[in-house]
């Protein structure tokens, strides 16, 4: 894909449906009693992996347009599961299946096989699960086991790990408590509560007890992590202004908006709809020069997936932007510290990798050139945003990876 520079970008758009919420709505309803409809579901590669895994486990799932009808499996069938590129599918399923009396394996593509799984197998085994990994990675092999609750203090800020333990807790004796020092996205807790689970929050802990789930309809809001790319365009293009309608505004996910404000962009929220998963229309407009920013550990979980994009935007500011406490970036679909630095340098910018993050030395713009996505959807889309305001434009190799989380991205952008 070759992305040519533009001078103006002033548009009102909807964005891709939320990936995290779609995964959960399909997976949890597949484990629930009854039938539910998931409206405005994301049908990108990752969520399709979840749909196919839950179908293999015995749920009846029909997809029609953006609507997914899910009839829960009374009892999961033994299955060999392919989670594709999706860490969320793998880790959440490991927790969900651990105490449900099934023999299952979970495998995926080369990127998934390189990602750490000990972070879920360790707490699940501490609950009594019988899970074997392949040197701490996928494929995972799950066998039937009787689980008991644990009191788990999270060693990493990860919603996937938190969710895996909570889902296992639904089928465990006694109480399962998960405590996190920095809050990660709470879609699992909110959805389990709506589905009738015995789950409560107490300070920085979530407590769950054995529960059956009730099938529950879900309307998925727009994904703020997908909208972030559109906001990024408004930030880098000289006359940039973007309104994204009906985008999810769960406060555990909105860190990107705070950083864009700190960079000097005008960020406004309209038509706000309250609820467990609030949403509304968000406008980002460029009103002058961009300022560099600092991101530290406490803010990282609220914008973890947006860091490659924010780093690309930082190349359009004047001065050094510093991102620290973000070592988790190294174990995403690619090592996003390295792939983000390589992307910025390939476009003529200056950036430096650090063990726990990166520094972008903003010089008010990028030349462009040729960038490899390394098969990582968020690197491909971040490069595209940076390219739209570059001097010469940019060729993006592996651009089709965007379909993992944002089918239709290229039609919106180019
Ligand atoms: C996700 C959690 C995050 C995020 C991923 C989706 C989720 O991962 O990066 O894209 O849906 O729970 P971690 O929880 O591992 O940080």
């Amino acid at each position: 894909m070759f992305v040519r520079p533009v001078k103006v970008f002033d548009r009102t758009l909807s964005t891709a449906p939320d990936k995290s919420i779609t995964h959960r709505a399909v997976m949890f309803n597949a484990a629930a009693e009854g039938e539910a409809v998931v409206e405005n579901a994301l049908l990108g590669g990752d969520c399709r992996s979840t749909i196919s895994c839950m179908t293999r486990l015995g749920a009846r799932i029909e997809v029609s347009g953006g609507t997914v009808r899910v009839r829960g499996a009374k009892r999961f069938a033994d299955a060999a599961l392919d989670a594709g590129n999706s860490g969320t599918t793998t880790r959440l399923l490991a927790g969900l299946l651990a105490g449900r009396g099934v023999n299952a394996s979970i495998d995926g593509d080369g990127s998934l096989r390189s990602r750490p799984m000990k972070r879920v197998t360790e707490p699940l085994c501490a609950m009594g699960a019988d899970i074997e990994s392949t040197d701490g990675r996928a494929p995972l092999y799950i066998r039937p086991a009787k689980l008991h609750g644990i009191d788990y203090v999270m060693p990493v800020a990860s919603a996937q790990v938190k969710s895996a333990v909570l889902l296992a807790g639904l089928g465990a004796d006694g109480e399962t408590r998960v405590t996190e020092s920095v809050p990660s996205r709470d879609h699992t807790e909110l959805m389990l509560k709506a589905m009738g689970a015995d789950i409560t929050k107490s300070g920085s802990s979530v407590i769950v007890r054995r529960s059956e789930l009730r099938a529950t309809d879900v309307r998925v809001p727009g994904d703020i992590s997908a909208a972030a790319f559109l906001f990024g365009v408004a930030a880098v293009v000289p006359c940039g202004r973007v309104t994204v309608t009906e985008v999810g505004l769960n406060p555990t996910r909105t860190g990107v908006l705070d950083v864009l404000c700190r960079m000097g962009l005008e960020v406004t929220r309209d038509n706000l709809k309250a609820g467990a998963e609030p949403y509304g229309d968000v406008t980002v407009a460029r009103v002058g020069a961009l300022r560099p920013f600092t991101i530290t550990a406490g803010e990282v979980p609220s914008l973890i997936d947006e860091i490659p994009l924010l780093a690309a935007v930082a190349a359009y500011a004047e001065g050094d932007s510093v991102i620290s406490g973000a070592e988790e970036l190294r174990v995403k679909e690619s090592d996003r510290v390295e792939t983000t630095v390589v992307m910025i340098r390939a476009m003529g910018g200056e950036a430096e990798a650090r063990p726990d993050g990166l520094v972008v030395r903003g010089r008010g713009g990028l030349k462009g050139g040729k960038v490899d996505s390394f098969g990582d959807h968020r690197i491909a889309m971040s490069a595209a945003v940076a390219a739209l305001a570059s001097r010469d434009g940019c060729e993006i190799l592996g651009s089709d990876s965007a379909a993992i989380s944002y089918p239709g991205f290229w039609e919106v952008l180019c």
Side-chain angles (χ1 to χ4, degrees):
M1 177 66 69
F2 191 87
V3 179
R4 283 170 217 293
V6 298
K7 290 270 172 290
V8 183
F9 195 97
D10 184 348
R11 291 171 62 185
T12 297
L13 302 157
S14 59
T15 193
D18 192 278
K19 178 159 84 71
S20 292
I21 296 177
T22 302
H23 277 304
R24 287 160 172 81
V26 171
M27 196 182 284
F28 302 173
N29 274 307
E33 180 72 39
E35 185 172 311
V37 174
V38 183
E39 268 185 274
N40 194 40
L42 177 66
L43 295 173
D46 273 6
C47 295
R48 286 190 183 274
S49 293
T50 291
I51 291 172
S52 90
C53 289
M54 302 323 288
T55 303
R56 278 183 161 261
L57 286 162
R60 299 259 296 278
I61 303 182
E62 281 165 37
V63 179
S64 161
T67 300
V68 179
R69 194 173 288 276
V70 185
R71 172 171 287 281
K74 291 239 155 31
R75 194 185 172 284
F76 284 142
D78 292 349
L81 304 171
D82 180 359
N85 192 241
S86 177
T88 308
T89 309
T90 308
R91 297 194 178 111
L92 269 59
L93 259 183
L96 184 68
L97 298 182
R100 286 186 187 250
V102 290
N103 282 288
S105 60
I106 313 176
D107 200 359
D109 66 11
S111 153
L112 189 86
R113 279 185 168 202
S114 74
R115 299 180 66 186
M117 293 297 154
K118 225 166 138 185
R119 52 181 56 200
V120 286
T121 57
E122 238 168 39
L124 295 176
C125 289
M127 297 175 80
D130 183 351
I131 303 190
E132 209 182 298
S133 69
T134 308
D135 254 344
R137 290 163 210 284
L140 303 179
Y141 300 94
I142 302 165
R143 287 176 287 265
K146 200 166 154 28
L147 306 189
H148 53 81
I150 50 167
D151 188 344
Y152 192 62
V153 179
M154 297 271 298
V156 282
S158 164
Q160 295 179 359
V161 176
K162 172 176 66 175
S163 300
V165 176
L166 293 174
L167 291 168
L170 292 176
D173 287 341
E175 176 181 293
T176 299
R177 175 188 291 258
V178 182
T179 304
E180 37 183 14
S181 52
V182 183
S184 63
R185 65 193 69 191
D186 61 358
H187 306 301
T188 294
E189 299 90 297
L190 295 172
M191 201 177 292
L192 291 180
K193 180 116 202 129
M195 296 177 82
D198 180 353
I199 186 164
T200 50
K201 200 166 175 347
S202 164
S204 56
S205 300
V206 186
I207 301 138
V208 68
R209 290 179 198 80
R210 184 186 291 283
S211 316
E212 297 295 330
L213 301 179
R214 223 176 23 232
T216 302
D217 293 345
V218 176
R219 182 170 168 84
V220 181
D223 194 333
I224 191 162
S225 298
F229 296 106
L230 307 174
F231 301 147
V233 176
V236 296
V237 170
C239 296
R241 179 189 186 86
V242 169
T243 298
V244 181
T245 55
E246 299 197 349
V247 62
L249 291 169
N250 178 317
T252 61
R253 297 281 301 280
T254 50
V256 63
L257 299 181
D258 301 333
V259 175
L260 292 172
C261 277
R262 302 209 288 274
M263 295 192 83
L265 290 143
E266 197 177 83
V267 179
T268 45
R269 304 181 188 203
D270 296 295
N271 299 323
L272 294 177
K273 303 283 185 307
E277 294 285 359
Y279 64 94
D281 301 343
V282 176
T283 301
V284 173
R286 175 142 173 182
V287 287
L290 298 180
R291 292 193 289 266
F293 58 82
T294 301
I295 294 172
T296 54
E299 201 174 21
V300 166
S302 71
L303 45 66
I304 181 73
D305 292 337
E306 289 70 78
I307 291 177
L309 178 269
L310 287 169
V313 173
Y316 283 82
E318 294 282 355
D320 290 359
S321 291
V322 182
I323 298 156
S324 61
E327 44 280 280
E328 277 297 299
L329 282 180
R330 291 196 175 271
V331 291
K332 293 295 177 188
E333 286 83 330
S334 66
D335 175 341
R336 286 185 180 156
V337 169
E338 298 300 334
T339 51
T340 301
V341 165
V342 168
M343 163 185 72
I344 291 170
R345 287 185 181 162
M347 296 180 78
E350 276 183 59
E352 194 183 291
R354 296 206 170 148
D356 68 335
L358 61 152
V359 180
V360 181
R361 305 201 188 285
R363 299 278 179 272
L366 290 170
K367 284 207 290 285
K370 192 193 249 188
V371 169
D372 193 339
S373 73
F374 298 96
D376 184 329
H377 53 130
R378 300 206 196 272
I379 298 296
M381 292 189 278
S382 302
V385 169
L388 270 186
S390 65
R391 196 189 65 191
D392 305 331
C394 184
E395 184 179 352
I396 298 162
L397 306 175
S399 55
D400 43 349
S401 57
I404 281 287
S405 62
Y406 200 155
F409 174 76
W410 297 108
E411 287 73 23
V412 170
L413 212 69
C414 300

